[in-house]
Amino acid sequence: MRKWLTVRAAYLYTMTGSALLSGIVLFLTYRVFAWSYAHVSPDSFFARLARGLVNYIGRMPIAAAVFFIVFAGLFMLRSQKLADDMKQIVRAAEELAERGSFNELEVASGGELKALACHLQGVRRWRTTSSADRISIPPIPNESTLLLDNEEVMAVILRIKLLLRTLGAVDPDSQ
């Protein structure tokens, strides 16, 4: 995977693009106000509103507010793709943890999110193929099953004890 295809780089790209587009929108807004202020009658509603806002609030606070509002809107729109991909991956991981499988996983972005989605799909494929190919293993006896009730098992245990006693009775010096 390439180093620049990370989630951090995608958000940096989104933020930079939103800031540039916000600057362009701010510049165009300024030019429209300047043009309309020069070509529209000073007694019109638009000219009086613009003059009142500039005189009451100021040019820089209005420009900062317009820039921030446009930036926030563009950032929210542009980062929605990354947020949707993250939601898809989280949903698939939750389903994989709860049920052992998930329905579908579509990730539109590349890089780390695409790799994570591929790994999750690999886990799903491994779980479905390994669960289908599993050999039926008999259950391990636990405390509820009485193993010592079986006569053959008791006979083997008694024979082992007898062998241990006879080996212990043999004198090691006689040989």
Side-chain angles (χ1 to χ4, degrees):
M1 177 175 35
R2 298 180 192 148
K3 288 186 345 186
W4 59 83
L5 289 178
T6 62
V7 175
R8 186 182 322 168
Y11 275 112
L12 182 63
Y13 165 76
T14 302
M15 187 182 74
T16 306
S18 299
L20 287 174
L21 288 173
S22 297
I24 291 170
V25 167
L26 183 63
F27 176 74
L28 291 176
T29 305
Y30 174 75
R31 296 305 297 169
V32 166
F33 268 94
W35 180 85
S36 63
Y37 195 72
H39 291 85
V40 176
S41 169
D43 295 330
S44 69
F45 174 74
F46 181 75
R48 284 185 293 152
L49 177 68
R51 189 178 307 119
L53 285 174
V54 169
N55 288 336
Y56 184 71
I57 298 173
R59 201 167 57 184
M60 288 305 285
I62 290 174
V66 168
F67 179 83
F68 179 73
I69 290 170
V70 172
F71 173 79
L74 289 173
F75 185 81
M76 295 299 284
L77 287 174
R78 294 181 61 148
S79 65
Q80 189 62 43
K81 182 176 99 170
L82 291 170
D84 290 342
D85 289 345
M86 292 296 283
K87 287 177 187 174
Q88 286 286 327
I89 289 173
V90 167
R91 182 197 50 79
E94 284 176 356
E95 288 181 10
L96 188 64
E98 289 175 2
R99 297 184 316 188
S101 181
F102 54 88
N103 293 333
E104 64 181 54
L105 178 59
E106 290 293 322
V107 175
S109 62
E112 292 173 333
L113 295 180
K114 189 71 158 182
L116 185 59
C118 289
H119 292 310
L120 282 174
Q121 289 172 345
V123 168
R124 179 184 68 175
R125 280 193 299 273
W126 178 80
R127 283 188 134 193
T128 56
T129 58
S130 66
S131 65
D133 296 340
R134 285 188 186 146
I135 300 172
S136 61
I137 300 172
I140 298 173
N142 54 17
E143 297 167 359
S144 64
T145 61
L146 296 174
L147 188 62
L148 297 178
D149 281 348
N150 194 347
E151 292 177 14
E152 295 173 357
V153 173
M154 285 299 287
V156 169
I157 291 172
L158 289 174
R159 286 186 185 141
I160 290 173
K161 284 186 177 185
L162 179 67
L163 282 171
L164 288 174
R165 268 190 251 138
T166 55
L167 286 174
V170 173
D171 188 25
D173 294 335
S174 64
Q175 293 180 353

